[in-house]
Amino acid sequence: MKISSKIILFLLLPVLSSAQQNRTDSLREIFLSSKDDSVRYKTANHLYDYFEEVGRDSALYYADQCVMISRKNERKLNEAYSLSRKAYQELNTGRFAEALHSLLDGFSISQKKDNEGSYWEIDPIRSEQAKRLYALSCTHHIFGLLMWRTLNREQEIVHFKEAKRIAVEINSPARSLLGSLNLGRIYFETGQFDSAMLYQNEAQEIANSSGRKKYLASIFHFQGMICLSRRDTARALQYFFEGIKAGLEQNNLDGLVRSYHHLADYHIDRNHIDLGLYYAIKELEIFKQLGSVSVVDYHIGVAYADLNRIYRLSNQPDSAYKYLALAQRTNDSINQHRIKSLAAFQQLTLSEQQRLQHAEKEKVEYRNKIRTWILLAGIGVLMMLASIFYRNNLQKQKAKKRIEEAYDNLKATQQQLIQSEKMASLGELTAGIAHEIQNPLNFVNNFSDVNTELIDEAGQEIDKGNISESKSILSDIKENEQKINYHGKRADAIVKGMLQHSRSSNGVKEPTDINALADEYLRLAYHGLRAR
């Protein structure tokens, strides 16, 4: 790019600034006059966007206004989002402790799912969960910057990667772009130039494809620095010029001043006094326009140092001494401010760690109390259950005993009923059995009477000497005795059967002649039927 074209581009800056100034004045008027808090919040947000990389103090003011308006209306996600923006300006003005406060408040809001749904518009994202994660990604990103400014590289990487991960998850080009930009910066600072360029190229691609070109100036600046580190001076200068163009177009003075500084440094190293002076003066103008001094790597003292080098090269000792004094005074002031800010940050960090340790201790004590109460409650429940089970067991034993007694009574009653039934049936059979017994008894009696007569006759025949007739009579007597014996046994069998039927059963099983049993019961049934 020729110097003439660069000068034409720089001449356009007042025109662009005038248009931006008119828009800013209109937004300020709306912010001051509107009674609707949602309108005031959105207006303050737009004003912050304008001043974010242009005027730190103004940006901080409007970020704080967004926080207060959100808090007043209980728009939790807007509050968390605005707290991250406020923290960004606080850390850029060296207020590390205040930035940490804002970020911790932001984390406490954006990490709670209960706060989903409590918002005004936040980025063009539809789902409520994604809006909360967007605010959480912003908070992680600014916390990463805070860790960068306080030289905590490990935590810086952790938070930038988490911010990038969330951005990819919710498909947010704006957050993903910033994640790639800062991860590329980290790799550059650690000498991993290939990875650094890979991330910066990714950030540039996201910016061009999504139309979010606000941070192109910073991207081009880091790409130029990577090329310088690779000794590719031509490409480095090209990136610096692109950074100046993007910074002017997008009103990103932070990225713009970085490119001015490196171009001034490049020309001073090569004794290009006119160009070196031109870029150093531009650098100083932008630093003055930014307002509050950044206390990290770029600040107004850098511009003073560049001008000191230029005037020493051009043999202007008075001017060289003037800017050397300004540079030293600025560096001393910034270092003192930085030391004070870091001390306040460390004190706050220590206090926060102590608070977290105390909170953790209280949490552990509370958990122990809960566990103790749960244990006691469990023991009480177990004792109650044991008592219930013991009582139930006693009741079951008593019930079992009652059931066994009832069962024994029932068995005894059943046996009595069976015996009663047997006796009743025996009574019914008595008449038939008596008749049955009477028959053999009649035979016994009759044959006994006959034998008595026959004995007398036999005696008479013997006296007469009639032996053959006596033998015949004795033979008849013998035959009658056999009949008497038969009918006697018959009566005995009937009596035994009756006695066996009437006795109680002992339940002992023994071999039985089925035919004889059937015959006996048939006869008993027959006699019972006859009795009826």
Side-chain angles (χ1 to χ4, degrees):
M1 182 182 287
K2 295 180 179 179
I3 186 65
S4 58
S5 61
K6 287 183 260 178
I7 292 173
I8 292 172
L9 179 61
F10 299 150
L11 290 175
L12 291 174
L13 180 58
V15 177
L16 297 172
S17 299
S18 177
Q20 287 284 356
Q21 187 62 45
N22 291 335
R23 182 171 181 270
T24 304
D25 291 340
S26 299
L27 288 172
R28 277 200 185 105
E29 185 177 348
I30 294 171
F31 175 75
L32 294 172
S33 60
S34 177
K35 302 298 181 183
D36 187 334
D37 280 346
S38 65
V39 173
R40 295 184 73 245
Y41 171 82
K42 292 176 183 178
T43 307
N45 238 348
H46 288 306
L47 287 166
Y48 173 87
D49 288 336
Y50 173 76
F51 287 110
E52 184 177 40
E53 305 296 350
V54 175
R56 302 294 185 196
D57 293 334
S58 296
L60 179 58
Y61 170 78
Y62 286 112
D64 193 45
Q65 289 296 310
C66 288
V67 171
M68 290 189 293
I69 294 170
S70 303
R71 192 171 289 163
K72 173 186 173 185
N73 292 271
E74 297 184 352
R75 305 289 177 166
K76 293 295 185 180
L77 294 186
N78 296 93
E79 182 182 349
Y81 176 62
S82 301
L83 281 167
S84 68
R85 306 187 107 190
K86 180 182 177 183
Y88 178 63
Q89 298 305 326
E90 287 171 334
L91 68 90
N92 272 323
T93 52
R95 305 173 193 179
F96 300 146
E98 292 89 335
L100 180 59
H101 263 305
S102 298
L103 290 170
L104 291 176
D105 290 344
F107 273 128
S108 68
I109 295 171
S110 57
Q111 287 176 337
K112 294 179 181 177
K113 292 184 178 181
D114 294 344
N115 291 324
E116 293 177 5
S118 175
Y119 62 89
W120 285 311
E121 192 60 39
I122 298 177
D123 203 69
I125 296 175
R126 293 185 179 179
S127 78
E128 293 183 353
Q129 182 186 23
K131 292 180 186 297
R132 179 182 64 81
L133 292 176
Y134 182 88
L136 183 59
S137 176
C138 292
T139 309
H140 275 294
H141 178 82
I142 305 304
F143 203 93
L145 291 177
L146 178 61
M147 294 298 99
W148 172 38
R149 305 298 171 85
T150 54
L151 308 179
N152 190 336
R153 178 72 75 188
E154 182 180 350
Q155 285 300 309
E156 176 191 1
I157 294 173
V158 168
H159 285 280
F160 277 130
K161 285 188 174 181
E162 181 63 12
K164 172 76 174 177
R165 183 195 67 77
I166 296 172
V168 172
E169 179 183 341
I170 62 176
N171 192 26
S172 172
R175 306 315 312 168
S176 186
L177 183 153
L178 289 170
S180 297
L181 170 62
N182 281 279
L183 288 170
R185 172 188 55 75
I186 292 171
Y187 283 117
F188 168 72
E189 291 171 352
T190 53
Q192 301 177 61
F193 301 131
D194 291 339
S195 298
M197 185 61 82
L198 182 67
Y199 273 106
Q200 295 300 341
N201 289 341
E202 182 182 74
Q204 182 183 358
E205 182 180 350
I206 295 172
N208 290 328
S209 61
S210 65
R212 298 175 182 274
K213 300 183 179 182
K214 180 176 181 178
Y215 294 99
L216 274 176
S218 298
I219 295 170
F220 288 134
H221 158 257
F222 283 114
Q223 288 173 326
M225 292 295 295
I226 294 168
C227 289
L228 276 183
S229 300
R230 291 172 167 175
R231 302 185 184 279
D232 188 351
T233 306
R235 288 190 65 191
L237 292 176
Q238 182 180 353
Y239 279 126
F240 291 142
F241 290 141
E242 290 292 332
I244 292 173
K245 179 182 176 182
L248 292 171
E249 290 177 349
Q250 302 300 322
N251 202 30
N252 185 344
L253 300 189
D254 183 74
L256 179 63
V257 75
R258 293 171 186 268
S259 294
Y260 278 144
H261 165 69
H262 286 293
L263 285 172
D265 190 59
Y266 170 81
H267 289 294
I268 292 170
D269 287 342
R270 287 157 179 76
N271 292 326
H272 301 161
I273 295 175
D274 291 338
L275 287 175
L277 179 61
Y278 174 81
Y279 288 117
I281 291 173
K282 282 294 187 182
E283 178 186 3
L284 180 61
E285 289 175 353
I286 299 301
F287 273 125
K288 288 180 177 179
Q289 189 176 347
L290 276 170
S292 293
V293 179
S294 175
V295 295
V296 191
D297 48 358
Y298 290 105
H299 49 74
I300 198 169
V302 176
Y304 291 146
D306 287 343
L307 287 168
N308 167 258
R309 293 171 61 198
I310 286 289
Y311 287 119
R312 280 194 291 111
L313 285 174
S314 59
N315 294 318
Q316 300 183 47
D318 292 340
S319 296
Y321 178 77
K322 169 188 172 183
Y323 285 108
L324 176 62
L326 287 172
Q328 290 177 342
R329 193 180 310 133
T330 302
N331 288 336
D332 290 342
S333 174
I334 288 173
N335 287 334
Q336 289 177 6
H337 182 68
R338 182 178 179 81
I339 291 170
K340 188 181 296 184
S341 297
L342 284 172
F345 175 79
Q346 294 295 341
Q347 182 62 37
L348 178 61
T349 303
L350 178 61
S351 300
E352 181 64 18
Q353 288 175 348
Q354 291 174 344
R355 186 189 68 80
L356 291 174
Q357 288 175 356
H358 182 67
E360 185 64 25
K361 183 179 178 182
E362 289 183 344
K363 191 184 295 183
V364 170
E365 291 176 353
Y366 176 74
R367 282 201 297 261
N368 289 337
K369 283 183 180 180
I370 293 297
R371 287 172 183 168
T372 302
W373 283 111
I374 290 174
L375 180 61
L376 291 175
I379 292 172
V381 170
L382 288 176
M383 291 180 65
M384 182 177 67
L385 290 174
S387 175
I388 292 172
F389 291 151
Y390 177 72
R391 184 179 176 184
N392 288 343
N393 190 39
L394 286 179
Q395 290 178 348
K396 286 180 179 178
Q397 289 180 355
K398 290 179 181 179
K400 182 180 178 182
K401 188 175 180 180
R402 288 196 297 268
I403 291 171
E404 288 176 350
E405 290 176 354
Y407 180 68
D408 291 340
N409 293 334
L410 180 62
K411 284 178 68 177
T413 303
Q414 186 179 19
Q415 291 295 331
Q416 291 175 0
L417 288 174
I418 292 171
Q419 187 65 23
S420 298
E421 289 178 358
K422 285 184 176 181
M423 295 307 294
S425 61
L426 184 61
E428 293 177 355
L429 294 175
T430 300
I433 292 172
H435 177 75
E436 184 68 16
I437 292 175
Q438 188 64 43
N439 288 335
L441 288 177
N442 288 337
F443 278 111
V444 170
N445 292 332
N446 291 335
F447 284 118
S448 295
D449 292 341
V450 170
N451 281 348
T452 300
E453 293 176 359
L454 288 175
I455 289 171
D456 291 340
E457 290 180 4
Q460 291 174 6
E461 291 296 329
I462 290 173
D463 290 339
K464 291 179 180 181
N466 192 356
I467 299 302
S468 60
E469 185 66 27
S470 298
K471 289 181 178 181
S472 176
I473 293 171
L474 288 173
S475 177
D476 290 337
I477 292 171
K478 183 179 179 181
E479 184 179 350
N480 289 339
E481 283 298 326
Q482 290 175 351
K483 290 180 180 180
I484 290 170
N485 185 45
Y486 167 76
H487 288 289
K489 289 180 178 180
R490 180 182 171 194
D492 180 64
I494 292 170
V495 172
K496 285 181 178 179
M498 181 180 66
L499 291 175
Q500 188 174 8
H501 178 72
S502 62
R503 74 182 179 186
S504 299
S505 174
N506 57 7
V508 178
K509 296 181 179 180
E510 57 186 19
T512 303
D513 186 346
I514 301 299
N515 293 326
L517 183 65
D519 181 67
E520 177 186 354
Y521 276 92
L522 181 61
R523 285 189 292 102
L524 290 174
Y526 168 72
H527 293 310
L529 182 61
R530 287 183 62 188
R532 290 191 184 93

